[in-house]
Amino acid sequence: MSERQTPRTASRRRRRGAAIVASAVLITVMPATAGTATAGNAAATDCSKAPWTDTRKSADQRAKALLAASTRHQIYRWLVEQPANSPTQTDFQGVTYPVQVSCTPTVTYTDGPEGVRSVEGVTAFPAQISLASGFNEDTAYAKGKAMGSESFDKGKNVILGPGVGGGRTALAGRTPEYFGEDPVVNGVLAGAQARGIESNEDKPVLADLKHYVANEQETDRQTSSSNMDERTYKEIYELPYGIALSEGDPESVMCSYNQINGVYACENELLDESLKDELGFEGYVMSDYGAVHSTAASLKAGLDQELNRPIHYTPEKLDAALAAGEITQADIERAALRVVRSYIDGGLFDHVPADEPVADVSTPAHKALARQIAEEGSVLLKNSGDTLPLDKRSGKTLAVIGSVAANDPGSGMTARQLCSLPLNFGGTTSGRNTMACEDMVAPLDSLTERAAELGIEVVHDDGSDAERAAEVAADADVAVVFGYKQVGEFSDPKDLGLDAGGDALISAVADENHSTVVVLETGTATTMPWLSKVDSVLETWYPGEQAGPAIASLLFGDVNPSGKLPMTFPESEEQQPADTEEQYPGVVPEGETIRQVEYSEGLEVGYRWYQAQDEEPLFDYGYGLSYTDFDVSGAKVSTNGKNGLTVQFKVTNTGKRAGTEVPQVYLELPRSADEPSARLIAWDRVSLKAGQSRSVTIELTQEQVDTRHLTQYYDDDRDAWRTPSGTFTAHVGTSSDTTLSTKFTLGKR
């Protein structure tokens, strides 16, 4: 059994005890004015006597004991991040609470889909979109495990991440934080990363799955409504949460800013009815910061904790809502119990970080992992001729063009600033990153070092003057041009062109040097109007602190590219599923304040739309080249167990180099299901030497088939997932543009 398959999820659920049933039990609390032993006296208190520290009891029993020993206003503390996590502090920007009961931990939240954000001394991993491009569940788990360890050593024990999304438009600002446009990929990789984050039992850290749900744009994200039918909601936007919860078991889920069909996510009945009841989520729901708009409505809907400071869950507002009969004591205790139980179940009561954080927690192993993710996640999109990989035949001079190739280019954006996601405010970049990236290894440095081994001289131009850069490139044997696009939270990009005149720069260089290689560092798709002029294109996303070694190893062929696109690259901004103003960015009706965003494309999201509409994109979902060639043959599907699936095929490396292919399996449901296209259900990473073949078997258990709803569609007439009867067709290939197919049948369920 591999480490990522550890049965920790089952053991944790056993420790919780009868969690869901117990949540509804009203706990008798002490009066609001009664005194108890305080957390401030914990050092002088014998915590072994406190029943909520008794590790022999279940998390549910311990949490109930704590709440039973609490006053009403002490219980209120658990409903807001700051009072919950700072037990001895009593004033929070003018809102006061009694000191918390003794022997409760200090807890610190940190943002962090791609790494432990906003502190130095941690590993700056590549963006999540890069992790998705590797299609590697083991790597996602390893990254989560490394992040959990680093977070704990930095004194932070809840990571706000990973996140999942639907990928309905490449213009979404948070595209690089998510795993692309396929719900199964999002769910599986997020589940693996969450499982990794929470796997360090001696350094416990909780994962927070976000942003629930349909948080698909930054434009008016706090005042927009994502409007869709139930089937679209279930199959595209909620499905990755169901998968990640089942396979990753994160202790927390964050509700999003937006409305869903006119009701804010953090006061939407979906929290209780869908997330907690249907999906069986046993942890606690926290809000995004500022995403709460009510006291009673949000609490009744299933929100458990308000992020950051108390605004809607202040003692005054909770007392008033109780007095008015808008909420009950049971509502409050149900929310508090979920928070406390998750803290206990996740280990936060039993393993406390050191008072002083470790200065540098980035280990050589973590840096090696960052490089591995960058290498696995870089996608070779074009390679005509024999320009790549670079070698002794590449000539004597290599021109590296672009400011982002260097840490200190003299002018323009730097490599360090492209290491991770930008912090954008009001549509303009701040020049700051989500990660400190102080250990950034610039591509220029690594390329220069690697080229010197072959006697190749490297010259650099920052690209600020396209004419000058073209002249430098003209005198070189090969030109490597770096183009970038900054995409991040707070704003959506206006288009899919490169920043800082990057498209014009590449075109000018390619006009003067006919052996031009383009290295892209973007957070989303880009349209590449210069594509026909260049020999090679390597998409590296935001490659993290080990960008230099990773890019050099890929360009020189020390590592064979194996990344695959987790999102479709359109030919233009208009060639996308959400291509009308009503679909994106939505319309604010006259006299109203909420932007109405119509998800009228329904199930036709990403590659499903391209296939349903017979549209040819610039690059297909799942596409990615190698320095060798692969052939996939002999596909067949059989059932195992009641409704498990076994997919078999052969992969052959027909080229002259060792390499790794990512074969993909797409399933077309019977016509009665009325699905727009086949959809991805499985993939594998297969490494082969030149000329080697391997028979590949992908076993999908009945549990995986059911949890991921691989053979099902959502029947909104019956409010249930259904397996249609009839003929299924499995399509197998190296992208969503598949080459093989085989048919089979299943009984209706």
Side-chain angles (χ1 to χ4, degrees):
M1 177 177 288
S2 69
E3 187 175 24
R4 69 180 175 87
Q5 294 172 317
T6 176
R8 180 171 180 270
T9 296
S11 65
R12 284 179 53 202
R13 285 175 174 159
R14 285 195 295 271
R15 290 202 302 273
R16 284 184 184 142
I20 296 301
V21 174
S23 295
V25 175
L26 182 64
I27 298 166
T28 301
V29 300
M30 301 174 66
T33 56
T36 64
T38 68
N41 296 328
T45 302
D46 184 0
C47 288
S48 66
K49 303 295 185 182
W52 50 91
T53 67
D54 186 350
T55 57
R56 295 169 298 179
K57 299 179 182 293
S58 71
D60 199 70
Q61 291 171 326
R62 293 170 65 183
K64 284 181 181 179
L66 186 151
L67 296 181
S70 303
T71 68
R72 177 180 295 161
H73 283 194
Q74 285 173 325
I75 291 176
Y76 287 177
R77 294 183 66 112
W78 296 107
L79 274 59
V80 184
E81 175 200 347
Q82 289 180 356
N85 296 346
S86 301
T88 61
Q89 184 177 338
T90 58
D91 183 270
F92 300 90
Q93 298 186 38
V95 180
T96 60
Y97 296 81
V99 171
Q100 187 56 279
V101 298
S102 60
C103 307
T104 58
T106 295
V107 175
T108 303
Y109 289 5
T110 179
D111 209 357
E114 73 283 356
V116 183
R117 287 184 174 181
S118 304
V119 294
E120 293 188 350
V122 298
T123 307
F125 291 101
Q128 296 289 82
I129 194 73
S130 177
L131 183 62
S133 296
F135 283 82
N136 193 331
E137 188 178 350
D138 289 334
T139 305
Y141 175 88
K143 179 184 178 182
K145 189 174 183 67
M147 286 175 56
S149 175
E150 292 192 359
S151 180
F152 186 88
D153 287 339
K154 280 295 182 182
K156 302 174 188 296
N157 38 14
V158 177
I159 293 178
L160 306 184
V164 298
R168 71 185 294 260
T169 175
L171 292 169
R174 302 190 86 162
T175 296
E177 291 189 42
Y178 300 149
F179 296 102
E181 66 192 28
D182 184 82
V184 175
V185 171
N186 268 268
V188 169
L189 295 184
Q193 188 176 0
R195 193 165 64 245
I197 289 171
E198 297 187 350
S199 67
N200 302 294
E201 298 204 5
D202 59 333
K203 297 181 179 182
V205 173
L206 308 188
D208 175 54
L209 188 64
K210 62 182 188 180
H211 307 84
Y212 186 86
V213 61
N215 178 62
E216 297 294 319
Q217 62 187 62
E218 292 300 280
T219 302
D220 289 343
R221 66 180 184 177
Q222 292 178 297
T223 54
S224 65
S225 180
S226 302
N227 303 325
M228 70 193 77
D229 60 76
E230 187 176 15
R231 182 173 180 179
T232 297
Y233 168 76
K234 290 291 187 181
E235 290 194 25
I236 301 296
Y237 300 102
E238 190 181 65
L239 178 57
Y241 287 91
I243 296 170
L245 291 174
S246 177
E247 300 183 12
D249 197 27
E251 289 287 357
S252 180
V253 169
M254 179 184 288
C255 53
S256 56
Y257 286 116
N258 55 287
Q259 296 181 352
I260 301 98
N261 294 331
V263 181
Y264 282 107
C266 292
E267 57 186 52
N268 201 302
E269 63 184 12
L270 293 171
L271 296 180
D272 256 349
E273 294 182 2
S274 194
L275 178 64
K276 293 181 178 179
D277 291 347
E278 293 182 22
L279 297 184
F281 176 55
E282 298 179 5
Y284 70 104
V285 176
M286 71 169 71
S287 73
D288 208 336
Y289 177 53
V292 186
H293 296 266
S294 63
T295 301
S298 59
L299 189 64
K300 297 292 281 189
L303 179 65
D304 302 309
Q305 189 181 82
E306 183 176 22
L307 192 66
N308 203 271
R309 65 184 178 90
I311 299 175
H312 291 279
Y313 284 4
T314 64
E316 181 182 9
K317 290 184 178 180
L318 290 170
D319 282 343
L322 271 172
E326 298 170 343
I327 60 174
T328 66
Q329 185 67 27
D331 294 327
I332 294 170
E333 291 170 10
R334 186 180 297 112
L337 182 61
R338 279 182 173 267
V339 176
V340 178
R341 187 176 58 218
S342 286
Y343 282 18
I344 294 172
D345 189 52
L348 304 194
F349 272 60
D350 305 324
H351 299 273
V352 181
D355 292 337
E356 291 296 325
V358 180
D360 190 345
V361 298
S362 181
T363 67
H366 293 174
K367 291 184 181 300
L369 177 61
R371 176 173 175 174
Q372 177 189 343
I373 294 170
E375 290 171 347
E376 288 183 354
S378 294
V379 186
L380 184 63
L381 296 175
K382 182 179 180 180
N383 195 31
S384 59
D386 58 357
T387 303
L388 290 183
L390 301 173
D391 55 26
K392 292 181 179 179
R393 299 171 300 166
S394 300
K396 297 181 178 180
T397 307
L398 175 67
V400 177
I401 309 295
S403 64
V404 297
N407 277 335
D408 186 18
S411 65
M413 192 67 62
T414 70
R416 185 171 286 109
Q417 289 172 305
L418 260 292
C419 163
S420 66
L421 281 65
L423 290 173
N424 297 338
F425 301 100
T428 59
T429 58
S430 65
R432 295 190 290 118
N433 293 7
T434 55
M435 304 295 297
C437 300
E438 73 272 21
D439 290 338
M440 177 69 188
V441 184
L444 178 62
D445 297 336
S446 296
L447 288 169
T448 300
E449 180 180 351
R450 184 66 179 85
E453 296 176 9
L454 301 177
I456 300 174
E457 178 188 6
V458 172
V459 294
H460 178 244
D461 185 277
D462 64 20
S464 58
D465 183 321
E467 183 177 351
R468 185 191 65 211
E471 291 175 358
V472 171
D475 292 333
D477 296 295
V478 177
V480 176
V481 193
F482 283 74
Y484 71 93
K485 185 170 188 65
Q486 289 199 296
V487 180
E489 188 180 2
F490 303 116
S491 65
D492 293 333
K494 295 179 174 61
D495 56 45
L496 297 179
L498 297 177
D499 290 349
D503 290 316
L505 173 65
I506 293 170
S507 184
V509 169
D511 284 340
E512 297 300 323
N513 189 310
H514 300 303
S515 296
T516 293
V517 175
V518 176
V519 176
L520 294 173
E521 296 187 21
T522 73
T524 188
T526 186
T527 49
M528 308 183 210
W530 35 261
L531 184 61
S532 63
K533 293 183 177 183
V534 304
D535 278 1
S536 307
V537 181
L538 182 71
E539 172 64 83
T540 65
W541 313 104
Y542 301 140
E545 66 172 52
Q546 296 299 309
I551 291 172
S553 67
L554 290 162
L555 294 185
F556 279 92
D558 303 319
V559 173
N560 200 338
S562 62
K564 299 287 186 174
L565 289 180
M567 62 184 300
T568 307
F569 275 35
E571 289 188 334
S572 67
E573 290 85 359
E574 294 73 33
Q575 194 199 35
Q576 295 196 81
D579 64 344
T580 68
E581 184 181 7
E582 290 76 17
Q583 291 172 296
Y584 176 83
V587 176
V588 181
E590 186 175 354
E592 298 184 14
T593 58
I594 302 298
R595 182 178 295 274
Q596 302 298 319
V597 186
E598 305 302 330
Y599 285 44
S600 53
E601 69 278 0
L603 302 178
E604 294 184 11
V605 175
Y607 64 86
R608 304 175 195 221
W609 179 82
Y610 288 90
Q611 292 186 6
Q613 300 297 325
D614 198 25
E615 289 274 348
E616 185 71 27
L618 188 64
F619 294 108
D620 290 301
Y621 180 91
Y623 174 85
L625 299 173
S626 168
Y627 294 145
T628 190
D629 297 304
F630 294 93
D631 177 70
V632 182
S633 60
K636 61 180 181 179
V637 177
S638 58
T639 58
N640 62 68
K642 185 176 180 181
N643 267 305
L645 295 176
T646 299
V647 185
Q648 296 175 300
F649 48 86
K650 185 170 75 171
V651 180
T652 302
N653 182 343
T654 61
K656 298 179 180 179
R657 287 175 172 265
T660 299
E661 182 56 278
V662 182
Q664 300 150 47
V665 183
Y666 296 80
L667 187 62
E668 181 182 346
L669 271 59
R671 287 187 179 180
S672 60
D674 196 26
E675 290 284 311
S677 72
R679 72 269 185 100
L680 183 64
I681 66 164
W683 60 90
D684 200 359
R685 289 182 60 85
V686 183
S687 298
L688 298 171
K689 297 177 182 179
Q692 185 181 8
S693 294
R694 181 178 302 163
S695 295
V696 177
T697 299
I698 300 177
E699 296 277 2
L700 296 166
T701 66
Q702 181 182 339
E703 182 179 6
Q704 288 174 319
V705 170
D706 290 345
T707 299
R708 302 175 185 181
H709 299 291
L710 301 181
T711 61
Q712 298 177 320
Y713 70 98
Y714 191 80
D715 187 339
D716 47 13
D717 289 332
R718 300 187 182 187
D719 293 328
W721 289 91
R722 307 287 294 179
T723 299
S725 59
T727 301
F728 291 76
T729 305
H731 301 268
V732 183
T734 57
S735 75
S736 57
D737 185 13
T738 54
T739 55
L740 296 175
S741 65
T742 182
K743 298 182 183 297
F744 64 97
T745 59
L746 288 175
K748 189 172 182 179
R749 297 176 60 191

